[in-house]
Amino acid sequence: EVQLVESGGTLVQSGGSLSLSCAASQFNFRGYSMSWIRQAPGKGLEWVSYIGSSGSPIYYADSVKGRFTLSRDNAKNSLNLQMNSLRDDDTAVYYCARRSDYYLYFDNWGPGTLVTVSS
Amino acid sequence: QTVVTQEPSFSVSPGGTVTLTCGLTSGSVSATSYPSWYQQIPGQAPRTLIYNANIRSSGVPDRYSGSILDNKAVLTITGAQADDESDFYCVLYMGSGIWVFGAGTRVTVL
């Protein structure tokens, strides 16, 4: 069974930085592209970023472009989201999701990690 | 900026049928939008229901079906059950590596 486990979520001050990780197991991680998707408290889902299986291409939502950096380490089966210049509206549960390259959908999700940005 | 539209809420009686739609404020949903649907119980991670507009994900009951109709993606729940009460999200591929989720539809079974 595919496993995705996010970590790194915590309380951080507005303007600060935080790094989230996603540990992947039980599948060939280097063969899949991945995404981060977030959900603000009481709100809907928002796609954040995408990375191809080999580390490129990388895409970002306009709301995080220039502030967030997505990377992956295929040797360690891990995905990393570096978040800088955090704002109050970045407060959300952040989900790591595997993306099917054939049908372009998110076929497996982690349980999420909560990031709270407080001014 | 194009927005993905979904009905905010629907109520359905047990055993009834409900049809949720997923559209665009500008343009039409097509196969190249690769529409997919996700179910989310509050407090839990989303669960994949439908992908490529009409393919059920593994383990999803056949009371869930998807299609593209009148330029929108459609999710139909036939024979609604109490455990269908949840939030449903669609997401569309906009091209250039960008996905956009709809705001979600809350379905109540009563």
Side-chain angles (χ1 to χ4, degrees), chain A residues 4-7 9 20-22 33-41 43-51 59-61 63-64 68-70 79-83 89-100 104-115, chain B residues 6 34 36-40 44-48 88-93 97-104:
Chain A
L4 299 167
V5 180
E6 304 90 341
S7 61
L20 302 183
S21 295
C22 172
S33 55
M34 302 292 294
S35 272
W36 285 94
I37 294 155
R38 68 184 181 182
Q39 186 170 36
K43 303 296 185 182
L45 299 170
E46 179 189 16
W47 172 79
V48 172
S49 186
Y50 160 92
I51 187 168
Y59 302 111
Y60 300 96
S63 57
V64 306
F68 289 12
T69 302
L70 181 56
L79 187 69
N80 186 70
L81 183 67
Q82 177 65 41
M83 304 185 294
D89 61 1
D90 292 318
T91 294
V93 174
Y94 285 73
Y95 295 103
C96 165
R98 190 179 81 169
R99 202 210 71 168
S100 161
L104 304 191
Y105 75 106
F106 306 106
D107 64 2
N108 283 273
W109 300 63
T113 187
L114 175 62
V115 173
Chain B
Q6 292 187 251
Y34 295 92
S36 54
W37 292 90
Y38 304 84
Q39 178 187 35
Q40 188 182 36
Q44 298 185 15
R47 166 200 182 198
T48 307
F88 293 86
Y89 295 92
C90 72
V91 65
L92 302 176
Y93 181 60
I98 306 299
W99 283 263
V100 179
F101 281 89

Side-chain angles (χ1 to χ4, degrees), chain B residues 76-88:
Chain B
T76 301
I77 308 173
T78 304
Q81 300 181 5
D83 60 4
D84 294 326
E85 189 160 294
S86 55
D87 298 323
F88 293 86

Side-chain angles (χ1 to χ4, degrees), chain B residues 4-12 16-23 29 35-40 49-50 53 63-78 80 84-92 103-109:
Chain B
V4 176
T5 62
Q6 292 187 251
E7 298 86 359
S9 62
F10 262 120
S11 289
V12 59
T17 296
V18 62
T19 299
L20 314 183
T21 70
C22 175
V29 176
S36 54
W37 292 90
Y38 304 84
Q39 178 187 35
Q40 188 182 36
L49 290 178
I50 300 283
R63 65 177 183 273
Y64 292 98
S65 62
S67 63
I68 294 176
L69 187 65
D70 293 336
N71 301 316
K72 292 184 178 182
V74 172
L75 174 70
T76 301
I77 308 173
T78 304
D84 294 326
E85 189 160 294
S86 55
D87 298 323
F88 293 86
Y89 295 92
C90 72
V91 65
L92 302 176
T105 298
R106 174 151 293 182
V107 171
T108 303
V109 181

Side-chain angles (χ1 to χ4, degrees), chain A residues 60-74:
Chain A
Y60 300 96
D62 286 345
S63 57
V64 306
K65 198 175 295 182
R67 300 186 300 121
F68 289 12
T69 302
L70 181 56
S71 62
R72 64 188 294 161
D73 185 337
N74 284 345

